[in-house]
Amino acid sequence: MKCLTPSLLRRFWRLLPQYVSAGPSQSPNLSPKQSSLRQSCSARPGLLTAPDVVSYWQKVFEKNGIPEARESSEYIVSFVLGAKTFQSLDSEKLHAPLTAAQQEQIQQLSCKRLERMPVQYVLGEWDFQDLTLKMRPPVFIPRPETEDLVSLVVEEESRKCGVKNSAFPVAVPPPVILEIGCGSGAIALSLLRKIPQSRVLAVDKEEAAVDLTRENIHRLQLQDRIHVLHHNVSYGSAKHLLPWGPMDFIVSNPPYVFHEDMASLDAEILRYEDLDALDGGDDGMRVIKTILTLAPSLLKDSGSVFLEVDPRHPGMVEDWLRAHPDLLLTLHAVHKDFCGKPRFLHIQKQSK
């Protein structure tokens, strides 16, 4: 798809003041409101406001079948105006005419969205919990539900600290956390922020992900408590990971999409994201099984594994653990996501 078809480009020329004199002379197919806006812009160049441009690009996105057309347009305009969301724009920015440079930047970003590039990549950054992280393709984009995975680890650490402090009034050593498949660093960096003094080993097999995690680490100035390792985790990985262990927690949002479901993913995912970060093999458990096989040799006694999984996986994982009793791992809890689907597993290593 080209960024703007000739008909769309004609409409855009007519809408934006700086293009009025350069655009084709024929009238585009505009609603009365758009025609009025065009005439107003022609008479008084520069009087396009943020809501005007949001509405225009929403219509362009809808015409081209872009999902979440309104949200996409709002995020792009807000970003150019220096805000996180359209709702957070103050009255002055909402009603002030956009400059030619702002309109040009909005057009450039919107053209990327027309190519089905995810908004997170279009903007080059995205918020996860209370962090603003750099984003770029093909590194996996953290999803909103994964914030709950972080919260579960934080809650478990708080519970363990409470139990230890009530039983033994001595200093509790800070936890050591391993994240497998760090991507942009969203999970690892959120845990560093939320668990003071924790130490994290973040691992990913993709160099692009390792590089982006390191950029986000330095951007947030958290480099003192984290080590990033470029490593493809396999059944023989324990010797590579144990120098930073033993671990209190292993955390992962692993590839868990069933292979047969990959083709049905959105175009935004299939065109831009690293599909290896999503494809979990025939049963969606290829990497999950590797993590669980490694866990006993990496975890402290009573240490925990926290995983994000497909809603079909809790029963499958429980059956798999029962078939491998030598691992001494127990499915301790299954937690639902904000849609009510079983999404997160808490697996615990049994004390010897």
Side-chain angles (χ1 to χ4, degrees):
M1 182 194 302
K2 291 185 182 297
C3 185
L4 286 177
T5 63
S7 62
L8 282 175
L9 188 54
R10 284 196 294 270
R11 292 178 65 188
F12 194 76
W13 272 330
R14 293 286 182 169
L15 184 66
L16 295 184
Q18 66 268 34
Y19 292 123
V20 168
S21 60
S25 59
Q26 61 265 40
S27 297
N29 183 21
L30 300 177
S31 68
K33 182 176 180 181
Q34 288 173 312
S35 298
S36 174
L37 177 60
R38 184 193 69 184
Q39 293 166 4
S40 176
C41 290
S42 299
R44 292 173 291 152
L47 293 185
L48 275 177
T49 63
D52 297 332
V53 179
V54 165
S55 295
Y56 173 76
W57 281 108
Q58 178 185 352
K59 291 180 174 64
V60 174
F61 292 152
E62 288 172 346
K63 183 173 181 178
N64 283 269
I66 303 300
E68 300 178 335
R70 179 75 185 183
E71 292 84 351
S72 297
S73 184
E74 287 185 347
Y75 273 123
I76 288 169
V77 173
S78 302
F79 176 78
V80 171
L81 295 181
K84 293 289 185 184
T85 65
F86 195 70
Q87 291 70 29
S88 66
L89 286 170
D90 59 33
S91 179
E92 181 180 352
K93 288 186 176 180
L94 276 175
H95 298 101
L98 274 64
T99 66
Q102 288 171 331
Q103 293 173 21
E104 177 65 23
Q105 186 180 4
I106 290 168
Q107 183 193 13
Q108 291 173 356
L109 297 178
S110 296
C111 287
K112 293 181 179 181
R113 185 69 186 108
L114 280 171
E115 296 285 351
R116 298 298 291 265
M117 179 179 280
V119 171
Q120 294 90 338
Y121 292 153
V122 170
L123 304 184
E125 64 179 38
W126 199 248
D127 283 2
F128 183 87
Q129 296 226 334
D130 56 350
L131 306 178
T132 299
L133 302 169
K134 291 187 69 173
M135 294 285 147
R136 63 170 172 263
V139 180
F140 182 74
I141 298 167
R143 273 52 173 181
E145 60 268 24
T146 305
E147 295 190 8
D148 289 342
L149 179 64
V150 172
S151 298
L152 290 170
V153 177
V154 173
E155 290 168 8
E156 176 63 11
E157 172 59 17
S158 297
R159 187 197 66 79
K160 288 170 66 175
C161 285
V163 170
K164 290 176 182 178
N165 287 334
S166 63
F168 306 100
V170 294
V172 178
V176 180
I177 303 168
L178 167 64
E179 186 195 0
I180 296 176
C182 58
S184 64
I187 294 173
L189 295 173
S190 294
L191 289 170
L192 284 176
R193 275 282 177 88
K194 292 183 175 296
I195 305 178
Q197 308 306 316
S198 60
R199 293 188 295 118
V200 173
L201 172 62
V203 178
D204 204 292
K205 70 183 183 71
E206 298 296 337
E207 190 172 1
V210 169
D211 290 344
L212 186 56
T213 292
R214 286 174 175 156
E215 285 185 40
N216 282 320
I217 288 169
H218 288 281
R219 185 178 187 178
L220 298 169
Q221 298 185 339
L222 291 170
Q223 57 267 32
D224 293 341
R225 294 188 286 127
I226 184 170
H227 180 81
V228 186
L229 184 63
H230 183 204
H231 176 70
N232 187 8
V233 171
S234 66
Y235 293 112
S237 290
K239 62 180 179 293
H240 298 283
L241 304 177
L242 270 176
W244 288 271
M247 312 292 175
D248 294 272
F249 298 103
I250 298 173
V251 187
S252 184
N253 177 15
Y256 62 70
V257 177
F258 287 62
H259 182 72
E260 65 181 7
D261 296 334
M262 290 293 295
S264 63
L265 296 176
D266 291 341
E268 282 83 353
I269 297 172
L270 294 174
R271 291 186 191 180
Y272 291 96
E273 291 195 78
D274 177 12
L275 298 184
D276 282 346
L278 292 147
D279 191 341
D282 291 342
D283 60 0
M285 288 181 52
R286 175 174 48 84
V287 177
I288 292 172
K289 291 173 184 175
T290 302
I291 292 171
L292 295 178
T293 302
L294 284 172
S297 60
L298 296 175
L299 286 172
K300 298 177 182 177
D301 285 348
S302 300
S304 294
V305 180
F306 282 89
L307 300 174
E308 181 174 325
V309 298
D310 184 276
R312 292 167 286 183
H313 278 145
M316 295 170 63
V317 169
E318 187 168 27
D319 290 344
W320 190 86
L321 290 175
R322 285 174 179 163
H324 297 80
D326 54 309
L327 296 178
L328 299 176
L329 296 174
T330 303
L331 180 57
H332 180 71
V334 178
H335 298 275
K336 295 180 178 180
D337 61 19
F338 48 67
C339 294
K341 296 180 180 179
R343 182 68 66 186
F344 310 107
L345 304 184
H346 177 188
I347 297 162
Q348 199 158 31
K349 179 180 178 181
Q350 301 169 25
S351 299
K352 295 180 181 178

